Short mmCIF file of all heavy atoms in Angstrom, two decimals:
data_model
loop_
_atom_site.label_atom_id
_atom_site.label_comp_id
_atom_site.label_asym_id
_atom_site.label_seq_id
_atom_site.Cartn_x
_atom_site.Cartn_y
_atom_site.Cartn_z
N TYR J 29 0.81 -1.17 0.01
CA TYR J 29 0.03 0.02 -0.03
C TYR J 29 0.88 1.24 -0.01
O TYR J 29 1.99 1.23 0.51
CB TYR J 29 -0.92 0.00 1.22
CG TYR J 29 -1.98 -1.04 1.22
CD1 TYR J 29 -1.74 -2.32 1.71
CD2 TYR J 29 -3.29 -0.73 0.79
CE1 TYR J 29 -2.73 -3.32 1.71
CE2 TYR J 29 -4.30 -1.71 0.76
CZ TYR J 29 -3.94 -2.97 1.26
OH TYR J 29 -4.97 -3.90 1.23
N ALA J 30 0.32 2.35 -0.54
CA ALA J 30 0.92 3.64 -0.41
C ALA J 30 0.15 4.33 0.77
O ALA J 30 -1.08 4.44 0.71
CB ALA J 30 0.76 4.45 -1.72
N ARG J 31 0.94 4.70 1.81
CA ARG J 31 0.29 5.24 2.97
C ARG J 31 0.42 6.74 3.01
O ARG J 31 1.55 7.32 3.01
CB ARG J 31 0.90 4.66 4.27
CG ARG J 31 0.63 5.43 5.53
CD ARG J 31 0.90 4.66 6.77
NE ARG J 31 -0.20 3.65 7.03
CZ ARG J 31 -0.31 2.99 8.15
NH1 ARG J 31 0.62 3.15 9.07
NH2 ARG J 31 -1.26 2.11 8.32
N ILE J 32 -0.71 7.44 2.90
CA ILE J 32 -0.74 8.95 3.02
C ILE J 32 -1.03 9.21 4.54
O ILE J 32 -2.00 8.65 5.09
CB ILE J 32 -1.80 9.52 2.13
CG1 ILE J 32 -1.56 9.14 0.66
CG2 ILE J 32 -1.87 11.03 2.23
CD1 ILE J 32 -2.71 9.46 -0.25
N SER J 33 -0.25 10.11 5.12
CA SER J 33 -0.47 10.47 6.49
C SER J 33 -0.74 12.00 6.66
O SER J 33 -0.14 12.74 5.91
CB SER J 33 0.65 10.07 7.36
OG SER J 33 1.84 10.66 7.00
N VAL J 34 -1.65 12.36 7.49
CA VAL J 34 -1.91 13.82 7.76
C VAL J 34 -1.88 13.94 9.27
O VAL J 34 -2.76 13.43 10.02
CB VAL J 34 -3.32 14.20 7.26
CG1 VAL J 34 -3.61 15.67 7.63
CG2 VAL J 34 -3.43 14.01 5.74
N ALA J 35 -0.83 14.58 9.74
CA ALA J 35 -0.54 14.66 11.21
C ALA J 35 -0.69 16.14 11.66
O ALA J 35 -0.23 17.02 10.98
CB ALA J 35 0.86 14.17 11.50
N ASP J 36 -1.35 16.31 12.78
CA ASP J 36 -1.47 17.66 13.34
C ASP J 36 -1.01 17.68 14.77
O ASP J 36 -0.62 16.67 15.34
CB ASP J 36 -2.94 18.13 13.31
CG ASP J 36 -3.82 17.25 14.13
OD1 ASP J 36 -3.59 17.10 15.32
OD2 ASP J 36 -4.82 16.76 13.52
N GLU J 37 -0.92 18.80 15.35
CA GLU J 37 -0.51 19.06 16.76
C GLU J 37 -1.70 19.55 17.62
O GLU J 37 -1.51 20.39 18.47
CB GLU J 37 0.64 20.07 16.82
CG GLU J 37 1.88 19.55 16.05
CD GLU J 37 2.97 20.64 16.02
OE1 GLU J 37 2.65 21.83 16.27
OE2 GLU J 37 4.11 20.30 15.78
N GLY J 38 -2.88 19.11 17.21
CA GLY J 38 -4.12 19.62 17.81
C GLY J 38 -4.48 18.93 19.12
O GLY J 38 -3.63 18.38 19.86
N ILE J 39 -5.82 18.95 19.45
CA ILE J 39 -6.24 18.52 20.74
C ILE J 39 -6.21 17.01 20.93
O ILE J 39 -6.28 16.53 22.04
CB ILE J 39 -7.76 19.02 20.93
CG1 ILE J 39 -8.67 18.43 19.92
CG2 ILE J 39 -7.79 20.55 20.96
CD1 ILE J 39 -10.09 18.73 20.13
N GLY J 40 -6.14 16.22 19.89
CA GLY J 40 -6.06 14.80 19.97
C GLY J 40 -7.49 14.20 20.18
O GLY J 40 -8.50 14.88 20.33
N ILE J 41 -7.49 12.87 20.21
CA ILE J 41 -8.77 12.11 20.36
C ILE J 41 -8.65 11.22 21.55
O ILE J 41 -7.68 10.47 21.73
CB ILE J 41 -9.01 11.24 19.06
CG1 ILE J 41 -9.11 12.20 17.82
CG2 ILE J 41 -10.33 10.41 19.23
CD1 ILE J 41 -9.16 11.47 16.53
N PRO J 42 -9.66 11.10 22.41
CA PRO J 42 -9.61 10.24 23.57
C PRO J 42 -9.41 8.77 23.16
O PRO J 42 -9.88 8.34 22.13
CB PRO J 42 -11.02 10.44 24.22
CG PRO J 42 -11.40 11.79 23.75
CD PRO J 42 -10.86 11.95 22.39
N LYS J 43 -8.72 7.99 24.02
CA LYS J 43 -8.38 6.60 23.69
C LYS J 43 -9.58 5.75 23.51
O LYS J 43 -9.58 4.80 22.76
CB LYS J 43 -7.48 6.04 24.81
CG LYS J 43 -6.04 6.68 24.80
CD LYS J 43 -5.16 5.93 25.91
CE LYS J 43 -3.81 6.51 25.87
NZ LYS J 43 -2.92 5.84 26.89
N ASP J 44 -10.66 5.96 24.31
CA ASP J 44 -11.81 5.10 24.24
C ASP J 44 -12.75 5.42 23.06
O ASP J 44 -13.82 4.84 22.96
CB ASP J 44 -12.60 5.19 25.60
CG ASP J 44 -13.11 6.58 25.87
OD1 ASP J 44 -12.68 7.53 25.14
OD2 ASP J 44 -13.92 6.75 26.80
N THR J 45 -12.35 6.33 22.19
CA THR J 45 -13.22 6.69 21.08
C THR J 45 -13.30 5.61 20.04
O THR J 45 -14.42 5.25 19.57
CB THR J 45 -12.70 7.95 20.35
OG1 THR J 45 -12.68 9.00 21.35
CG2 THR J 45 -13.61 8.36 19.26
N GLY J 46 -12.20 4.91 19.71
CA GLY J 46 -12.27 3.83 18.80
C GLY J 46 -12.78 4.26 17.42
O GLY J 46 -12.54 5.37 16.90
N ASP J 47 -13.54 3.35 16.78
CA ASP J 47 -14.11 3.65 15.43
C ASP J 47 -15.33 4.48 15.48
O ASP J 47 -15.95 4.77 14.43
CB ASP J 47 -14.39 2.30 14.71
CG ASP J 47 -13.15 1.75 14.05
OD1 ASP J 47 -12.09 2.38 14.13
OD2 ASP J 47 -13.25 0.65 13.45
N ARG J 48 -15.77 4.96 16.65
CA ARG J 48 -17.00 5.77 16.73
C ARG J 48 -16.72 7.08 15.99
O ARG J 48 -17.68 7.73 15.54
CB ARG J 48 -17.38 6.07 18.20
CG ARG J 48 -17.98 4.94 18.92
CD ARG J 48 -18.54 5.38 20.28
NE ARG J 48 -17.50 5.81 21.18
CZ ARG J 48 -17.38 7.05 21.56
NH1 ARG J 48 -18.07 7.99 21.10
NH2 ARG J 48 -16.39 7.37 22.45
N ILE J 49 -15.44 7.45 15.84
CA ILE J 49 -15.13 8.71 15.17
C ILE J 49 -15.51 8.65 13.68
O ILE J 49 -15.74 9.72 13.03
CB ILE J 49 -13.61 9.05 15.31
CG1 ILE J 49 -13.31 10.46 14.96
CG2 ILE J 49 -12.74 8.09 14.45
CD1 ILE J 49 -11.89 10.89 15.25
N PHE J 50 -15.70 7.45 13.10
CA PHE J 50 -16.06 7.36 11.77
C PHE J 50 -17.54 7.11 11.53
O PHE J 50 -18.02 6.95 10.38
CB PHE J 50 -15.31 6.13 11.07
CG PHE J 50 -13.83 6.30 11.08
CD1 PHE J 50 -13.00 5.51 11.92
CD2 PHE J 50 -13.20 7.18 10.26
CE1 PHE J 50 -11.63 5.67 11.88
CE2 PHE J 50 -11.86 7.42 10.22
CZ PHE J 50 -11.07 6.58 11.04
N GLU J 51 -18.36 7.16 12.61
CA GLU J 51 -19.74 7.06 12.52
C GLU J 51 -20.42 8.31 11.92
O GLU J 51 -19.91 9.43 12.21
CB GLU J 51 -20.37 6.67 13.80
CG GLU J 51 -19.97 5.31 14.32
CD GLU J 51 -20.57 5.04 15.72
OE1 GLU J 51 -21.28 5.89 16.25
OE2 GLU J 51 -20.29 3.92 16.26
N ALA J 52 -21.50 8.22 11.23
CA ALA J 52 -22.18 9.34 10.67
C ALA J 52 -22.72 10.21 11.78
O ALA J 52 -23.28 9.73 12.78
CB ALA J 52 -23.32 8.97 9.72
N PHE J 53 -22.57 11.54 11.64
CA PHE J 53 -23.12 12.57 12.55
C PHE J 53 -22.43 12.49 13.95
O PHE J 53 -22.94 13.03 14.87
CB PHE J 53 -24.65 12.43 12.71
CG PHE J 53 -25.40 12.52 11.44
CD1 PHE J 53 -25.91 11.39 10.86
CD2 PHE J 53 -25.54 13.77 10.80
CE1 PHE J 53 -26.61 11.46 9.72
CE2 PHE J 53 -26.26 13.79 9.60
CZ PHE J 53 -26.82 12.70 9.05
N ASN J 54 -21.30 11.79 14.05
CA ASN J 54 -20.59 11.71 15.29
C ASN J 54 -19.79 12.95 15.54
O ASN J 54 -19.08 13.48 14.67
CB ASN J 54 -19.65 10.46 15.32
CG ASN J 54 -18.94 10.29 16.65
OD1 ASN J 54 -19.52 10.00 17.64
ND2 ASN J 54 -17.62 10.63 16.67
N GLN J 55 -19.90 13.48 16.77
CA GLN J 55 -19.15 14.61 17.21
C GLN J 55 -18.49 14.26 18.56
O GLN J 55 -19.16 13.83 19.45
CB GLN J 55 -19.99 15.85 17.35
CG GLN J 55 -20.58 16.42 16.07
CD GLN J 55 -19.52 17.25 15.35
OE1 GLN J 55 -18.43 17.46 15.75
NE2 GLN J 55 -19.94 17.74 14.14
N LEU J 56 -17.20 14.48 18.68
CA LEU J 56 -16.50 14.20 19.97
C LEU J 56 -17.08 15.09 21.03
O LEU J 56 -17.24 14.70 22.19
CB LEU J 56 -15.01 14.40 19.84
CG LEU J 56 -14.29 13.39 18.90
CD1 LEU J 56 -12.78 13.66 18.88
CD2 LEU J 56 -14.56 11.98 19.33
N ASP J 57 -17.36 16.33 20.68
CA ASP J 57 -17.92 17.30 21.61
C ASP J 57 -19.41 17.44 21.24
O ASP J 57 -19.72 18.08 20.22
CB ASP J 57 -17.22 18.61 21.55
CG ASP J 57 -17.82 19.70 22.50
OD1 ASP J 57 -18.66 19.29 23.32
OD2 ASP J 57 -17.39 20.86 22.39
N THR J 58 -20.30 16.87 22.01
CA THR J 58 -21.74 16.89 21.64
C THR J 58 -22.47 17.99 22.44
O THR J 58 -23.72 18.00 22.40
CB THR J 58 -22.35 15.49 21.93
OG1 THR J 58 -22.14 15.16 23.38
CG2 THR J 58 -21.81 14.50 21.11
N SER J 59 -21.84 18.79 23.18
CA SER J 59 -22.52 19.86 23.92
C SER J 59 -23.05 20.90 23.05
O SER J 59 -22.61 21.13 21.90
CB SER J 59 -21.50 20.45 24.93
OG SER J 59 -20.47 21.12 24.29
N ALA J 60 -24.08 21.63 23.52
CA ALA J 60 -24.76 22.67 22.75
C ALA J 60 -23.79 23.82 22.45
O ALA J 60 -23.97 24.54 21.48
CB ALA J 60 -25.98 23.13 23.50
N SER J 61 -22.73 24.03 23.32
CA SER J 61 -21.84 25.12 23.11
C SER J 61 -20.53 24.68 22.61
O SER J 61 -19.52 25.24 22.96
CB SER J 61 -21.70 25.86 24.49
OG SER J 61 -21.22 24.95 25.51
N ARG J 62 -20.45 23.62 21.83
CA ARG J 62 -19.20 23.08 21.44
C ARG J 62 -18.43 24.06 20.63
O ARG J 62 -18.99 24.90 19.90
CB ARG J 62 -19.38 21.77 20.63
CG ARG J 62 -20.09 21.98 19.27
CD ARG J 62 -20.03 20.58 18.55
NE ARG J 62 -20.52 20.72 17.20
CZ ARG J 62 -21.75 20.33 16.79
NH1 ARG J 62 -22.54 19.82 17.68
NH2 ARG J 62 -22.18 20.52 15.54
N LYS J 63 -17.09 24.04 20.68
CA LYS J 63 -16.21 24.98 20.08
C LYS J 63 -16.08 24.81 18.57
O LYS J 63 -15.96 25.74 17.83
CB LYS J 63 -14.84 24.93 20.79
CG LYS J 63 -13.82 25.83 20.24
CD LYS J 63 -12.48 25.73 20.97
CE LYS J 63 -11.40 26.55 20.38
NZ LYS J 63 -10.11 26.41 21.02
N PHE J 64 -16.07 23.55 18.13
CA PHE J 64 -15.77 23.25 16.76
C PHE J 64 -17.05 22.92 15.91
O PHE J 64 -17.86 22.13 16.37
CB PHE J 64 -14.82 22.04 16.70
CG PHE J 64 -13.52 22.23 17.50
CD1 PHE J 64 -13.37 21.63 18.74
CD2 PHE J 64 -12.54 23.05 17.04
CE1 PHE J 64 -12.24 21.84 19.43
CE2 PHE J 64 -11.36 23.25 17.77
CZ PHE J 64 -11.19 22.66 18.98
N GLU J 65 -17.12 23.56 14.81
CA GLU J 65 -18.26 23.40 13.93
C GLU J 65 -18.08 22.10 13.07
O GLU J 65 -16.97 21.67 12.87
CB GLU J 65 -18.43 24.63 13.03
CG GLU J 65 -18.72 25.90 13.81
CD GLU J 65 -18.70 27.09 12.89
OE1 GLU J 65 -18.35 26.90 11.67
OE2 GLU J 65 -19.13 28.18 13.30
#
């Protein structure tokens, strides 16, 4: 395989998130006042 990587120095993702991050309409921050759109 050719592996393309995109690395940032941002806030990171909690360890227990797993593949939930790839679910539709999933937001790590689900609060009404979340910072990220």
Side-chain angles (χ1 to χ4, degrees):
Y29 292 83
R31 165 164 282 189
I32 303 169
S33 59
V34 178
D36 63 56
E37 300 174 341
I39 61 175
I41 300 171
K43 288 184 178 180
D44 60 350
T45 302
D47 276 359
R48 286 190 295 111
I49 196 172
F50 296 110
E51 295 176 0
F53 304 104
N54 180 71
Q55 292 280 1
L56 294 181
D57 180 8
T58 56
S59 63
S61 59
R62 66 174 186 257
K63 176 181 177 182
F64 304 103
E65 300 175 348

